[in-house]
Amino acid sequence: MGRYVVQRIALSAIVVLLSMAFLGVFAHLVPGDPVTVILGPRASEALSQTVRAEMDLDKPVPVQVWNFVVGALQGDLGNDFVSGLPVTTLLAASLPHTVILAVASLGLAVLLGVPLGVYAATRPNGWIDRITRVISVSLITLPAFVGGLFLLLIFAIGLGVLPAIGAGNFSDPVDYARRLILPTVALAATWIGYIARLVRTSMLEVLGQNYIRTARAVGLRDRVIFYKYALKNAIIPTVAVLGVGLGSLLGGAVFVEVIFSRPGLGTLIVDSITSRNFPIVRGATLVIALFFVLANLLADLSYGFLDPRIRVQGQSA
Amino acid sequence: MTNDDPQVQRLVSDLVARRIDRRQFVRLALALGVSLPVAGALLAACGGNVPATTGAVPASSGAGPTAAGAGPTATPAAPAVPAKLTLRLISDIANLDPAFYPASVDEAVSAGIYEGLVAWKPGTFEVVNQLAATFEPSADGLSYEFTLKEGIQWQKGYGEVTAEDVKFSYERIAGLTTPAIESPYKGDWSPHLKEVIVKDKLSGTIVLKEPFAALMRSTLPTPSGFILSKKAVEERGDKFATDPVGSGPYEFVSWTPKERAILKRFAEYSGAFAEYIGSPFPEIHFLPIENDSAADIGLETGEIDFGAVSVANIERFEGNPEFEVKTAPTLDYNWIGMNQEHPKLKDIRVRQAIRLAVDVPAMIDAAFEGRYMRANAIIPENMGLGYWADAPQYDRDVAAAKALLQEAGVSGLELSFTYTEETGSKVLAQIVQENLAEVGITVTLNIVDSAAFYELGKKLRERELFYVGFVTQPDPSWSFVWFTCSQIDIWNWQYWCGTEFDRLHFAALKEPDQAKRGEMYIEMQRLWDAQANVVWVSFPTNFYGHRTGIEPAITPHGRFLPHAFRVA
Amino acid sequence: MAVEASPAPQASRLDGRTLPGAQVLREVARRPAGLFGLVVVVGLLVIVIFAPQLAPYEASAQRITDRLQGPSASHLLGTDELGRDLLSRLLFGTRIALGVAFPAVLVALVGGLIVGIIAGYLGGWVDKALVVVMDTVQAFPAVILALALLALLGPSLQNVVIVIAVSFAPGYARVARALVLSTKQNLYVDAERALGAGDGRIIGVHILPNIVAPLFILLAMDLPAAITVEAGLSFLGVGVQPPTPSWGVILADGFDRIRVTPWPVLTAGLTLMITTLGFTMLGETLRDVIDPRLAGIRRWNRG
């Protein structure tokens, strides 16, 4: 088990370093002078010089990448072109809102998706199951931003029962929570569908297998079978999905933040693209990637606990 | 249903006991069949207090049927003063140094922090003393003697305001201090200012080299006339711009970029201008909200108390008894510009064709809901000076435009049209595109962020067609200066250098006779019109929505003065 | 980090031909989900081809006096802020949606295929290096990667195609690689090699036919994601630019005026939903019909 953990962590660390290197070399991936590429129509003399200095563009490419990676590891992501403030400061202000949104959405998706899937599995092809299937498919194909717009239209503008903009302040948690409702639902919707389907399929798979039939024959109560074996088995792919799903969630968060005018990494990136403020784009992208890698690492590690087969494999590998 | 009805009475007692708020009261009353005027009267008679804070207010009202105007708004007996006043800015601040502020939002935040020798009486263009105890122009207009009021304190412990500070502030913008600064507002003082002589601690004289007609109109009462603490500027250096020190009723507390700027009441305020302002708010918060829809929603939910509302939503706020909308005409102007040095636009017939091909009234309708005044030249009537009443108005004439293009031997012309995210620009750009397509010109649209738009220097020579608006101060010279020869590659994006135009501009700056000045400005507009390098669009009007309960202070040129707001 | 592909089809598929096309279609149409998908997709293709005939107005025809109206006899779905007919714009928008999504996913497929075959076939350090590159690209959610690339490339329709292709390619590369790896181990292939068959023949006859089918199914399931990503990027203002009637642009314009009229947002949103639903249904049914064992392959890195 220990070996498996170490393996996974090492792999994640490598990916993180590579992501940093990737972003370090990013500006050179597009043909043309990096300064003009970055600044686009903003390329005045003064600003070009600032950019050159800020991003070490006069030095050879490997040195630039090295400097960026070393800096990133120490928590320095450069300074933004417009105000000269350190990128990390700007990110730190926006990050909590995005993280809370993502975690809340995942939580909601699990909270609603798992029971839905379980219930559908208990009565396969019953009407709940059919409805769940229809709903989950519809939800899966509802992109977060369309869902967000519809929710805004119906609940905030049409009925006026929920707030339409802003995240509020941490000093007023009730208000903050209220403003979190619509964006969270918009983001979670797709995943409720996926998770429900996944849980249902995995459970049905397990329930059909031999060892379950044996357990039944031996007299173990249905309920025990259900929760101890079937559900547990369904959790592994669910966790896998969630780990990967966080990436999609973070992508969707960009839209939801824009639609509900919430502060966060998404709004930051979009604003920075239009103002050609590349260090912020780069820094925010890195932070999001880091979260994604972290989430997947946690997902991978939790397999180890959940599935003894992996644990054993890890030891012998 | 009369007021004796027990249900209505119960409703009223709920209201008084504050079990329900005013909005719920109105809704429930209407549901019970009480008519709106009566409900309003009940509210006024027995109504509860104004909500104590601007923070967590119940979500936006689907105030449809109840919002049918009428009904007096509640005027509580003794208004509780909210702890803070929250105002919207249409973009984030960047620099609060009066010598370098880039946009009107910086001006708005600075207005409460700094003071000048003189200032406008809020709501007017009448110049009254602010920090000056006495202010005496000489007969020939070349020297202005002033004495400062006694005991005016700088914020943040920088001591007393002295004549040295006056000298420093004005000579600094003029570029006469060492080290010299290059202020974009240098033209407000230079080359007219000779020096400021300090006589003693509290008095001195402003000495000019030549008469300066705009001094009292657009220099002294504006940020270029603000007095800064010499010690604070020298000590804080670059940081002064984001941590300023003034003598005004509000001092700077903090700025979280893209989120909030905070001012708080200056406890040791000298009261220099107290006769005209008496803002009761302990704190003023500024929220930069670029998106108009988001700002409208913020106003409705109570997140902000006051802010520019999008033209599309004016009616909704006007129809809602909880809000008021103030109409604030400006002296600003927006236009479609043509770079006449660009090979494609060098032929004047092409430019004239473009001028005849675009549909300005349609633009004003679609982009500004028809609420802005159409402009035919740069100076609006409200300027009070230099208004060209007989300016030609170019109505759309597709046939004439096509004829001109044919005469110029031009066909299949392709042009780029650059614009920013400003209100209505996107819509306007698409109208221009359609209009010009009809005369055979293909237009590619090019949206650019504001900072990029203004920052280009020599690269501007590549620009072809563009749409932009400038703000101005209440003197024609302020509007014209950006289009003189010296502004080529800076702000003169039409790339027109008119010798006579320039000569008139500088002569008018020195002309003491108002009538003659006016004539010169009209002549300048005539010369400009002949060049056909702009299509004037409109003079914007600002619409400020605010919740009833506060009384904003708005200038005659459409700006707001946060430090002069009151509780209604 | 996509979930790995499940093991490739068995040796019995090596005879090349899978179910004949017509039979597949019939199977798909038999299932309600598949039928729905077929109807939607065919309908969209018809719209793409016949948009000018079907649309009552030009997509760019402005009538300022008629702007922001709800559905009426002359404008079945209402008008936008410049008085343009929404129905017409949505119809022409189909061309943008499919015109971006198809090429993007195709390029991703071809690119990923090439990379995957090279990695799988050559093995060794080339394989390891390519896997590392793909892993790194997949460490970024697709939308975020797309945004970062667009920050450099600038907003335009062509660039959206490029960024979508780049974001989706690693997924195809992985699947192709996995399939190549398992095919390589096949005894039949070893036999041929022993008889002197060259690389080209092995790739052409054994590897390609096996992987083409699963990859095309992935393509069908990726199309809705690509359509959604393009609409999303255009909605944010960094993709297709106005006045081109991408559904994302229509949504963005509608969002700006959402308090005045909900129709642009409603109609464009529903159109997007139905389109993605149709393609997803079709893709999943195809997958179920052609090879149910491929149900193990998931597309999770849609970001």
Side-chain angles (χ1 to χ4, degrees):
Chain A
M1 177 64 189
R3 190 146 170 210
Y4 177 72
V5 170
V6 168
Q7 240 180 20
R8 287 281 125 198
I9 295 184
L11 214 62
S12 301
I14 294 179
V15 175
V16 166
L17 282 173
L18 286 172
S19 312
M20 290 182 181
F22 181 58
L23 287 175
V25 88
F26 209 66
H28 298 275
L29 293 176
V30 174
D33 172 26
V35 176
T36 345
V37 163
I38 290 173
L39 288 179
R42 283 194 80 180
S44 66
E45 255 319 297
L47 205 51
S48 301
Q49 280 179 4
T50 316
V51 172
R52 246 179 248 285
E54 173 63 39
M55 296 188 54
D56 292 330
L57 287 173
D58 289 328
K59 313 217 176 93
V61 175
V63 174
Q64 290 178 34
V65 175
W66 176 258
N67 285 347
F68 178 68
V69 174
V70 167
L73 288 171
Q74 295 172 342
D76 172 20
L77 292 169
N79 298 330
D80 100 46
F81 294 155
V82 177
S83 63
L85 293 167
V87 171
T88 29
T89 318
L90 294 166
L91 291 181
S94 306
L95 186 61
H97 300 290
T98 307
V99 170
I100 292 178
L101 181 60
V103 169
S105 306
L106 264 182
L108 184 65
V110 167
L111 219 61
L112 289 184
V114 169
L116 212 56
V118 167
Y119 201 78
T122 56
R123 289 165 188 37
N125 296 316
W127 63 273
I128 293 259
D129 185 27
R130 270 191 241 271
I131 293 192
T132 310
R133 253 186 291 182
V134 169
I135 294 181
S136 39
V137 170
S138 326
L139 287 178
I140 288 174
T141 53
L142 184 67
F145 80 95
V146 175
L149 283 171
F150 283 171
L151 285 172
L152 180 75
L153 208 50
I154 298 172
F155 290 98
I157 297 179
L159 298 175
V161 293
L162 284 171
I165 82 161
N169 262 319
F170 291 127
S171 56
D172 188 350
V174 174
D175 183 57
Y176 194 91
R178 275 186 80 224
R179 291 175 190 277
L180 200 54
I181 296 178
L182 287 179
T184 306
V185 172
L187 264 187
T190 321
W191 292 98
I192 296 177
Y194 269 134
I195 292 178
R197 281 215 319 183
L198 195 60
V199 166
R200 174 189 176 277
T201 320
S202 323
M203 288 189 68
L204 286 180
E205 223 176 85
V206 166
L207 288 174
Q209 287 189 359
N210 281 340
Y211 74 92
I212 293 289
R213 265 182 259 146
T214 319
R216 276 222 180 91
V218 164
L220 276 181
R221 284 176 53 215
D222 265 358
R223 213 196 216 140
V224 172
I225 298 176
F226 218 61
Y227 289 105
K228 200 146 179 240
Y229 297 106
L231 188 57
K232 225 165 158 206
N233 188 70
I235 290 192
I236 295 169
T238 308
V239 169
V241 165
L242 287 179
V244 177
L246 189 69
S248 159
L249 215 66
L250 290 168
V254 174
F255 299 109
V256 163
E257 283 176 5
V258 168
I259 292 172
F260 290 96
S261 305
R262 295 176 58 90
L265 290 182
T267 323
L268 201 59
I269 293 184
V270 175
D271 287 344
S272 305
I273 292 181
T274 31
S275 57
R276 291 278 172 173
N277 205 339
F278 188 65
I280 298 189
V281 176
R282 186 174 57 173
T285 306
L286 182 62
V287 169
I288 293 183
L290 286 178
F291 265 104
F292 196 20
V293 171
L294 188 64
N296 277 291
L297 177 63
L298 288 176
D300 282 348
L301 289 180
S302 58
Y303 297 160
F305 289 114
L306 296 171
D307 190 346
R309 287 173 288 174
I310 297 184
R311 251 182 278 166
V312 171
Q313 268 173 14
Q315 277 172 346
S316 60
Chain B
M1 288 260 170
T2 68
N3 301 346
D4 298 326
D5 188 280
Q7 281 186 305
V8 176
Q9 280 184 336
R10 192 167 44 225
L11 207 55
V12 170
S13 70
D14 274 351
L15 178 69
V16 171
R18 269 174 246 157
R19 279 189 286 273
I20 58 175
D21 70 18
R22 284 161 36 227
R23 199 180 311 175
Q24 286 167 318
F25 174 88
V26 173
R27 277 219 205 104
L28 292 167
L30 286 175
L32 286 176
V34 178
S35 73
L36 193 54
V38 176
L42 280 172
L43 204 51
C46 328
N49 288 334
V50 174
T53 66
T54 58
V57 167
S60 71
S61 58
T66 64
T73 54
T75 40
V81 177
K84 65 179 194 270
L85 175 70
T86 311
L87 311 178
R88 173 204 178 190
L89 298 176
I90 57 175
S91 60
D92 202 8
I93 58 174
N95 187 317
L96 297 174
D97 182 336
F100 293 108
Y101 73 93
S104 58
V105 293
D106 306 87
E107 208 182 329
V109 176
S110 306
I113 301 176
Y114 301 104
E115 294 175 309
L117 282 180
V118 297
W120 290 310
K121 191 166 149 198
T124 73
F125 280 143
E126 190 189 327
V127 176
V128 295
N129 287 351
Q130 194 171 38
L131 288 181
T134 65
F135 186 78
E136 313 270 336
S138 69
D140 60 4
L142 289 176
S143 56
Y144 297 77
E145 296 203 11
F146 65 88
T147 55
L148 291 168
K149 293 177 179 163
E150 280 223 38
I152 304 178
Q153 294 298 317
W154 286 117
Q155 297 155 0
K156 323 260 170 145
Y158 279 93
E160 221 181 289
V161 177
T162 66
E164 267 300 325
D165 293 318
V166 177
K167 177 182 172 74
F168 171 74
S169 307
Y170 296 165
E171 288 185 356
R172 177 178 181 249
I173 296 195
L176 298 175
T177 49
T178 357
I181 64 167
E182 254 319 297
S183 163
Y185 306 102
K186 188 172 169 183
D188 277 341
W189 281 108
S190 175
H192 320 276
L193 179 70
K194 181 162 172 217
E195 61 177 336
V196 178
I197 302 178
V198 173
K199 280 212 295 247
D200 54 45
K201 184 173 116 172
L202 291 181
S203 64
T205 316
I206 303 174
V207 181
L208 301 179
K209 288 186 224 159
E210 57 203 352
F212 181 25
L215 184 72
M216 301 298 294
R217 288 180 62 113
S218 60
T219 299
L220 286 176
T222 68
S224 294
F226 283 159
I227 307 195
L228 315 181
S229 156
K230 178 172 180 192
K231 189 158 157 235
V233 173
E234 286 174 343
E235 213 177 88
R236 293 177 175 217
D238 280 340
K239 294 227 183 325
F240 187 82
T242 47
D243 192 4
V245 170
S247 64
Y250 281 89
E251 59 180 349
F252 178 83
V253 172
S254 69
W255 172 42
T256 316
K258 292 192 182 303
E259 260 199 55
R260 185 179 293 258
I262 304 180
L263 304 181
K264 81 165 194 272
R265 262 225 293 268
F266 175 35
E268 285 91 43
Y269 178 55
S270 65
F273 211 50
E275 160 183 8
Y276 301 105
I277 58 164
S279 168
F281 301 99
E283 280 188 6
I284 303 182
H285 289 227
F286 296 90
L287 301 189
I289 307 180
E290 289 206 21
N291 183 300
D292 280 340
S293 299
D296 291 346
I297 297 175
L299 184 60
E300 251 185 277
T301 58
E303 187 147 351
I304 57 175
D305 299 314
F306 169 96
V309 297
S310 66
V311 178
N313 281 324
I314 294 175
E315 268 170 30
R316 284 188 55 249
F317 283 110
E318 278 176 338
N320 187 333
E322 302 239 352
F323 298 98
E324 282 174 32
V325 176
K326 290 266 187 305
T327 307
T330 67
L331 303 170
D332 309 330
Y333 45 92
N334 48 42
W335 77 99
I336 297 172
M338 308 184 227
N339 175 358
Q340 67 174 59
E341 280 301 304
H342 195 283
K344 293 189 203 169
L345 292 165
K346 259 196 140 101
D347 190 329
I348 195 175
R349 286 168 297 195
V350 174
R351 304 200 297 270
Q352 287 166 335
I354 294 177
R355 188 161 62 178
L356 286 171
V358 295
D359 189 350
V360 173
M363 289 180 217
I364 297 182
D365 264 344
F368 312 121
E369 303 296 320
R371 295 210 181 234
Y372 288 0
M373 218 163 47
R374 180 173 181 178
N376 292 317
I378 193 173
I379 305 289
E381 198 169 352
N382 296 357
M383 181 68 89
L385 183 67
Y387 173 58
W388 185 20
D390 299 320
Q393 178 165 298
Y394 295 96
D395 289 321
R396 181 157 208 245
D397 189 347
V398 172
K402 282 191 183 159
L404 277 164
L405 285 173
Q406 206 168 25
E407 199 186 305
V410 159
S411 69
L413 185 60
E414 284 180 22
L415 289 171
S416 71
F417 185 90
T418 315
Y419 61 102
T420 70
E421 287 272 346
E422 248 176 71
T423 317
S425 314
K426 204 163 61 154
V427 161
L428 189 145
Q430 293 177 72
I431 296 180
V432 170
Q433 193 181 43
E434 268 304 287
N435 290 161
L436 290 182
E438 261 184 78
V439 300
I441 301 179
T442 319
V443 169
T444 28
L445 299 183
N446 206 3
I447 186 172
V448 161
D449 122 277
S450 315
F453 196 81
Y454 297 118
E455 221 188 76
L456 289 186
K458 294 208 172 52
K459 289 217 118 197
L460 291 162
R461 292 176 191 235
E462 295 161 7
R463 203 171 272 173
E464 296 165 16
L465 298 178
F466 54 92
Y467 167 73
V468 70
F470 282 173
V471 298
T472 188
Q473 299 286 5
D475 188 83
S477 62
W478 241 87
S479 304
F480 282 108
V481 65
W482 316 110
F483 306 100
T484 54
C485 294
S486 61
Q487 291 289 326
I488 297 259
D489 279 337
I490 309 179
W491 294 100
N492 182 347
W493 304 335
Q494 283 78 232
Y495 279 89
W496 171 50
C497 177
T499 353
E500 179 63 9
F501 185 86
D502 262 35
R503 185 194 74 75
L504 282 168
H505 173 76
F506 290 109
L509 274 174
K510 302 188 231 179
E511 178 58 60
D513 182 327
Q514 291 289 72
K516 278 217 199 108
R517 259 192 111 203
E519 272 311 310
M520 289 174 166
Y521 287 128
I522 294 180
E523 180 58 23
M524 285 173 75
Q525 289 170 84
R526 238 183 243 125
L527 289 167
W528 196 350
D529 185 73
Q531 286 296 311
N533 56 23
V534 300
V535 179
W536 295 108
V537 177
S538 65
F539 301 119
T541 304
N542 289 336
F543 295 93
Y544 294 112
H546 64 96
R547 52 176 190 80
T548 52
I550 61 171
E551 190 50 46
I554 316 256
T555 70
H557 61 323
R559 314 272 212 279
F560 56 93
L561 305 167
H563 57 295
F565 279 38
R566 294 177 195 268
V567 174
Chain C
M1 304 215 181
V3 171
E4 282 291 343
S6 58
Q10 309 268 335
S12 63
R13 289 267 176 226
L14 267 179
D15 54 11
R17 283 284 133 241
T18 51
L19 297 174
Q23 204 172 332
V24 169
L25 266 179
R26 229 177 301 153
E27 274 299 307
V28 168
R30 263 187 49 212
R31 298 149 198 250
L35 187 59
F36 175 75
L38 265 181
V39 167
V40 168
V41 172
V42 169
L44 288 170
L45 288 172
V46 165
I47 294 177
V48 166
I49 301 173
F50 293 109
Q53 286 77 10
L54 291 167
Y57 300 83
E58 292 263 347
S60 59
Q62 302 172 1
R63 285 210 42 201
I64 310 291
T65 36
D66 288 341
R67 65 189 199 286
L68 296 171
Q69 294 181 349
S72 66
S74 54
H75 295 282
L76 286 175
L77 294 177
T79 58
D80 70 359
E81 74 281 0
L82 282 170
R84 297 178 291 208
D85 178 45
L86 270 178
L87 177 62
S88 309
R89 280 178 73 78
L90 285 173
L91 289 175
F92 280 103
T94 315
R95 292 184 157 180
I96 311 289
L98 298 187
V100 167
F102 266 107
V105 178
L106 220 58
V107 169
L109 181 137
V110 169
L113 189 64
I114 295 177
V115 170
I117 290 184
I118 294 178
Y121 201 72
L122 292 181
W125 68 268
V126 170
D127 177 35
K128 288 212 193 332
L130 285 175
V131 165
V132 153
V133 168
M134 292 188 294
D135 265 352
T136 312
V137 173
Q138 286 192 311
F140 299 90
V143 167
I144 308 289
L145 184 63
L147 286 174
L149 282 171
L150 283 171
L152 294 177
L153 292 169
S156 81
L157 194 147
Q158 294 84 342
N159 290 339
V160 172
V161 174
I162 295 176
V163 304
I164 293 182
V166 168
S167 310
F168 283 29
Y172 291 101
R174 278 173 164 270
V175 171
R177 174 179 172 272
L179 292 170
V180 167
L181 282 179
S182 57
T183 309
K184 243 175 47 171
Q185 293 161 352
N186 189 283
L187 287 173
Y188 205 95
V189 174
D190 281 340
E192 286 231 348
R193 232 190 237 291
L195 289 174
D199 281 346
R201 174 175 160 78
I202 295 194
I203 292 183
V205 169
H206 295 288
I207 296 187
L208 273 183
N210 275 339
I211 60 182
V212 159
L215 284 182
F216 267 100
I217 291 175
L218 290 178
L219 187 152
M221 302 211 298
D222 258 349
L223 272 172
I227 294 176
T228 308
V229 171
E230 178 273 315
L233 292 174
S234 305
F235 173 76
L236 293 175
V238 296
V240 174
Q241 296 293 301
T244 315
S246 148
W247 294 335
V249 169
I250 299 177
L251 279 169
D253 288 342
F255 177 57
D256 278 342
R257 294 289 208 272
I258 201 170
R259 303 194 140 243
V260 181
T261 168
W263 289 104
V265 169
L266 270 178
T267 49
L270 280 172
T271 311
L272 197 54
M273 261 188 80
I274 296 178
T275 305
T276 43
L277 196 60
F279 273 101
T280 309
M281 299 276 82
L282 185 61
E284 293 201 345
T285 317
L286 265 175
R287 179 199 66 200
D288 289 341
V289 163
I290 291 184
D291 191 346
R293 278 170 294 189
L294 289 173
I297 299 178
R298 297 254 187 268
R299 307 295 292 159
W300 291 129
N301 59 335
R302 236 174 289 201

